[in-house]
Amino acid sequence: MMFDKDLDLITTNSFVLSPLFEGEMKSKVMTRDGYLYSTLTPIQLLEKICIRHGSTFQGRIDAVKELLGYSKKLPLYIGEGIYAYPTRSPYHPECVWVFYHSYRYEAYSKGQTILYFDHGEIVILDISLHTVKEQQQRLASIILSLRFNKQQTLIRRK
């Protein structure tokens, strides 16, 4: 298998995946160790990462749609321990993906929310506090649903 540095950008240490419109770089990933950059757009990067974890991006989205009954701005299960939610439609060029991590948040200004991550970084999102709360709830719902389904499968095997 050929080495692909883009496949190492999204891990359990990823906090935020943002579009970047500077030269060749198309996305920026905030991690525990700093920022990483890619020439792929956020959606292209997520598509590659989902394939690495055994499914397509659309397959992951379809599964969440089926499990939760939502149809828009769906959270994404990428792989073991890696979950994220979009701030807009996933295909919107300014969509930011926020990964499952501990952070505090508060309204920043009209239509903006600020996130304070435990490792000291902050991010200002161009979405309302209400939308952040809604997206967090959706993300928690899919995490709980997948964990419950996994436990039920293990119980049935015994």
Side-chain angles (χ1 to χ4, degrees):
M1 184 166 134
M2 211 158 114
F3 176 74
D4 187 342
K5 66 179 177 57
D6 288 315
L7 293 176
D8 294 325
L9 296 178
I10 305 295
T11 68
T12 55
N13 288 324
S14 302
F15 290 89
V16 177
L17 169 60
S18 306
L20 191 63
F21 306 100
E22 296 178 14
E24 289 183 20
M25 294 302 151
K26 303 291 184 237
S27 57
K28 174 172 73 170
V29 181
M30 177 200 297
T31 71
R32 190 174 307 283
D33 301 318
Y35 289 92
L36 304 172
Y37 301 88
S38 175
T39 56
L40 300 176
T41 66
I43 199 74
Q44 290 170 330
L45 193 53
L46 289 171
E47 286 172 346
K48 281 183 97 167
I49 298 299
C50 286
I51 291 290
R52 179 184 218 183
H53 287 278
S55 183
T56 62
F57 176 84
Q58 190 59 51
R60 298 284 191 198
I61 291 296
D62 289 345
V64 170
K65 189 182 294 186
E66 181 73 23
L67 288 167
L68 299 182
Y70 302 127
S71 62
K72 296 183 180 181
K73 290 195 286 187
L74 296 167
L76 181 65
Y77 166 66
I78 297 167
E80 198 60 38
I82 309 172
Y83 304 86
Y85 67 80
T87 58
R88 299 172 182 249
S89 164
Y91 295 98
H92 191 285
E94 293 178 4
C95 178
V96 173
W97 289 83
V98 179
F99 290 83
Y100 175 65
H101 282 284
S102 178
Y103 56 84
R104 292 181 301 105
Y105 54 87
E106 61 186 48
Y108 183 68
S109 68
K110 185 175 173 85
Q112 291 186 316
T113 303
I114 188 166
L115 307 182
Y116 300 94
F117 290 91
D118 291 346
H119 69 290
E121 291 285 340
I122 63 167
V123 172
I124 298 171
L125 300 175
D126 288 329
I127 60 173
S128 69
L129 186 62
H130 171 77
T131 301
V132 168
K133 289 178 183 179
E134 183 177 74
Q135 289 302 89
Q136 270 193 319
Q137 288 172 348
R138 288 180 177 192
L139 187 63
S141 293
I142 196 59
I143 291 169
L144 290 173
S145 178
L146 291 172
R147 286 183 183 165
F148 176 78
N149 289 342
K150 185 183 275 187
Q151 287 174 343
Q152 292 303 308
T153 301
L154 292 174
I155 290 169
R156 278 188 235 120
R157 287 185 184 166
K158 289 184 180 181

